[in-house]
């Protein structure tokens, strides 16, 4: 039988244990309140910048004149390239500019400028929705670093070209050109809105802002499932604006969660909050983050499989590009929320960056065609760019490392 004394002692012991547990939790929270980059990870970021700059010089040497890097085929030692009209053309000069910013190596800056002379003509391209990627990742960064009216004009013309694809009946910017009975919008398109916000900030013309907000609202209404995963493709009826199809192009299945699509949506709504300060976008970004971070198929290292519902998990390929985009957006989101939540986003970003910086994902010097990261998945269903380096994986990896290095709570 338990005596009263023993009972009291037991209670005291339990409260002592609970007290210790509380005080250690308090300590953790006190550490979290500071939410500062860690010294060893800052050193890791710095050595990544140096290594990446050396890699991009390898790539610079290998690139045919006026061609932009797409990917690299190790088995044939072949760099695959594109012209300036490919959706990825802004990432290479953009990465060179980030690396110039971090290393002050003028050769990187000059290399970026050379490519942007080739890219410049795309400011008048009205046949793509990817102008945000192409022009803001390149000229947006250039104008941020060394502002010039000529760069502003290029960005403004690009914003005007992008705006021609907006249809008020649908409430969206058209993504891919298609048959006249279809109006295709992909989640990736959220990333192009940053250029429009820049245009309104710079000119005072609110039409760009209004297009961006309308596009984001329509997308929020139609692209997302109740669990905040996103469809890749919505096909609207151009005559009525009604949704006529919800499907995938680059994911495993219409109802699956293609990893990069989740990443684009997440980054997109995080930037929507930055630009508008409207909490509906903050909530959307948090829900998307929580969908990904709490997903049972997200591996411990937080580098997602190319699709959260890939049928061959745990043997499915990972997508380093999705991981890099997610890490960059997690760091930004963590500056907008309260400490405890911020700390979970911040440490998830740290986990991703640490794993991308290790040998499994980061290329050895002089290898990988000069790309920084390995193991991206471009278009699995089409059988292209599978388990390869990708120019946007590098761009968002370097951006995330820079965000980490400059991290400040707002
Ligand atoms: N469609 C752009 C991407 O592959 O993410």
């Amino acid at each position: 039988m338990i005596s009263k004394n023993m009972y009291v002692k037991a209670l005291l012991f339990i409260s002592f244990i609970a007290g210790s547990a509380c005080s250690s939790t308090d300590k953790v929270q006190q550490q979290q309140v500071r939410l500062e980059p860690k010294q060893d990870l800052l050193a890791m970021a710095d050595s990544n910048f140096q290594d990446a700059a050396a890699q991009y010089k390898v790539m610079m040497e290998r690139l045919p004149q006026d061609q932009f890097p797409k990917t690299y085929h190790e088995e044939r030692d072949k760099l695959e390239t594109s012209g300036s009209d490919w959706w990825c053309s802004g990432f290479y000069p953009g990465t060179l500019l980030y690396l110039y910013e971090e290393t002050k190596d003028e050769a990187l800056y000059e290399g970026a400028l050379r490519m942007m002379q080739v890219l410049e003509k795309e400011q008048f391209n009205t046949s793509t929705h990817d102008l945000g990627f192409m022009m803001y990742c390149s000229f947006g960064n250039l104008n941020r670093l060394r502002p010039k009216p000529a760069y502003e004009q290029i960005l403004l013309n690009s914003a005007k070209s992008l705006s021609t694809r907006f249809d008020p009946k649908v409430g969206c910017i058209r993504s891919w050109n298609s048959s006249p009975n279809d109006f295709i919008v992909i989640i990736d398109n959220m990333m192009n809105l940053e250029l429009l916000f820049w245009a309104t900030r710079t000119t005072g013309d609110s039409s760009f802002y209004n297009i961006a907000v309308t596009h984001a609202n329509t997308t929020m209404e139609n692209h997302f499932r109740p669990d905040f995963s996103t469809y890749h493709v919505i096909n609207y009826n151009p005559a009525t604006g009604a949704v006529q199809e919800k499907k995938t192009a680059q994911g495993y299945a219409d109802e699956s969660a293609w990893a990069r699509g989740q990443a684009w949506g997440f980054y997109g709504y995080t930037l929507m909050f930055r630009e508008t300060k409207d909490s509906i976008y903050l909530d959307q970004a948090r829900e998307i983050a929580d969908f990904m971070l709490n997903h049972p198929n997200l591996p411990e290292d937080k580098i997602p499989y190319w699709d959260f519902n890939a049928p061959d998990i745990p043997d499915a390929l990972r997508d380093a590009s999705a991981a890099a985009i997610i890490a960059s957006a997690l760091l930004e989101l963590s500056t907008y929320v309260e400490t405890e939540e911020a700390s979970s986003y911040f440490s998830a970003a740290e986990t991703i960056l640490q794993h991308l910086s290790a040998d499994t994902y980061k290329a050895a010097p002089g290898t990988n065609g000069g790309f920084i990261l390995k193991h991206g998945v471009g278009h699995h269903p089409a059988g292209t760019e599978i388990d390869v380096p990708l120019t946007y994986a590098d761009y968002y990896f370097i951006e995330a490392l820079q965000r980490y290095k400059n991290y400040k709570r707002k």
Side-chain angles (χ1 to χ4, degrees):
M1 226 176 103
I2 300 175
S3 70
K4 192 176 168 198
N5 200 17
M6 279 169 75
Y7 182 65
V8 170
K9 273 190 186 155
L11 273 183
L12 281 173
F13 180 69
I14 288 165
S15 60
F16 170 73
I17 297 287
S20 319
C22 273
S23 63
S24 70
T25 310
D26 286 349
K27 267 187 217 139
V28 171
Q29 280 180 351
Q30 273 163 22
Q31 281 165 5
Q32 287 170 352
V33 166
R34 297 182 58 200
L35 265 198
E36 280 175 359
K38 298 183 180 64
Q39 284 309 318
D40 55 337
L41 296 194
L42 286 172
M44 177 194 83
D46 270 335
S47 72
N48 274 328
F49 294 138
Q50 300 302 329
D51 295 347
Q55 279 295 87
Y56 266 47
K57 284 186 171 176
V58 170
M59 188 186 283
M60 217 185 272
E61 287 291 310
R62 292 193 60 152
L63 269 179
Q65 204 182 357
D66 298 353
Q67 287 287 296
F68 294 78
K70 265 173 106 169
T71 187
Y72 170 69
H73 302 280
E74 193 179 1
E75 63 296 348
R76 288 177 278 143
D77 186 27
K78 186 171 171 12
L79 199 59
E80 191 180 323
T81 62
S82 75
S84 61
D85 58 348
W86 176 242
W87 75 276
C88 297
S89 54
F91 296 122
Y92 172 61
T95 307
L96 286 172
L97 289 172
Y98 279 144
L99 293 174
Y100 160 70
E101 212 175 345
E102 295 305 328
T103 61
K104 304 290 176 266
D105 183 338
E106 287 288 331
L108 301 171
Y109 179 78
E110 293 301 328
L113 278 196
R114 262 198 311 279
M115 294 315 290
M116 279 189 279
Q117 280 163 10
V118 184
L119 182 58
E120 194 177 316
K121 60 179 172 296
E122 302 303 333
Q123 65 188 293
F124 301 113
N125 185 344
T126 55
S127 70
T128 176
H129 73 129
D130 286 317
L131 281 180
F133 282 127
M134 294 157 70
M135 307 309 277
Y136 200 68
C137 296
S138 54
F139 284 95
N141 275 314
L142 182 58
N143 193 51
R144 176 175 63 80
L145 291 172
R146 297 194 185 173
K148 268 196 190 162
Y151 303 150
E152 279 199 1
Q153 194 55 53
I154 289 168
L155 286 164
L156 185 56
N157 289 339
S158 305
K160 284 184 184 159
S161 298
L162 178 58
S163 299
T164 63
R165 301 180 67 81
F166 178 74
D167 185 320
K169 184 157 302 135
V170 175
C172 274
I173 296 164
R174 185 192 287 268
S175 295
W176 298 327
N177 295 337
S178 51
S179 97
N181 299 327
D182 295 332
F183 189 107
I184 304 288
V185 181
I186 62 174
I187 188 66
D188 324 25
N189 208 339
M190 286 298 302
M191 299 295 285
N192 294 305
L193 306 182
E194 212 169 357
L195 171 66
L196 300 179
F197 285 113
W198 173 90
T200 288
R201 237 187 352 269
T202 305
T203 62
D205 175 352
S206 60
S207 64
F208 302 108
Y209 184 104
N210 293 337
I211 288 173
V213 164
T214 307
H215 180 97
N217 291 346
T218 307
T219 299
M220 203 154 74
E221 201 170 310
N222 297 319
H223 255 88
F224 288 88
R225 305 184 183 99
D227 64 0
F228 292 92
S229 66
T230 171
Y231 287 92
H232 183 202
V233 181
I234 303 291
N235 181 6
Y236 293 92
N237 179 330
T240 64
V243 172
Q244 47 190 16
E245 262 182 305
K246 297 188 173 199
K247 57 184 182 178
T248 198
Q250 285 168 256
Y252 163 63
D254 289 344
E255 291 301 327
S256 74
W258 173 49
R260 201 164 49 258
Q262 314 311 300
W264 292 143
F266 172 44
Y267 193 118
Y269 282 95
T270 306
L271 83 82
M272 282 303 298
F273 177 70
R274 180 208 312 150
E275 297 291 350
T276 64
K277 295 289 171 269
D278 186 331
S279 63
I280 59 164
Y281 304 126
L282 179 62
D283 291 343
Q284 184 76 4
R286 292 155 94 181
E287 296 282 14
I288 304 169
D290 294 346
F291 168 80
M292 296 186 294
L293 296 179
N294 298 327
H295 199 287
N297 289 343
L298 183 70
E300 284 224 333
D301 60 14
K302 305 200 193 302
I303 315 288
Y305 297 104
W306 72 276
D307 191 300
F308 281 88
N309 307 107
D312 49 344
I313 289 172
D315 298 324
L317 292 169
R318 308 293 194 89
D319 180 18
S321 75
I325 299 157
I326 293 167
S328 189
L330 280 170
L331 287 172
E332 178 170 3
L333 179 62
S334 74
T335 67
Y336 300 143
V337 295
E338 295 300 326
T339 312
E340 205 172 325
E341 189 183 353
S343 124
S344 81
Y345 298 145
F346 186 80
S347 72
E350 284 182 321
T351 302
I352 293 174
L353 292 178
Q354 277 174 294
H355 283 92
L356 291 181
S357 302
D359 291 349
T360 309
Y361 287 98
K362 194 178 131 187
T367 67
N368 211 32
F371 284 90
I372 304 161
L373 293 179
K374 303 179 277 183
H375 303 309
V377 175
H379 197 327
H380 201 291
T384 55
E385 299 180 344
I386 296 180
D387 200 19
V388 290
L390 293 165
T391 178
Y392 40 96
D394 286 2
Y395 177 86
Y396 289 101
F397 177 54
I398 297 301
E399 178 183 271
L401 289 169
Q402 193 184 67
R403 285 181 173 187
Y404 188 74
K405 181 183 157 189
N406 299 331
Y407 189 79
K408 268 199 187 58
R409 304 266 296 142
K410 305 272 185 303

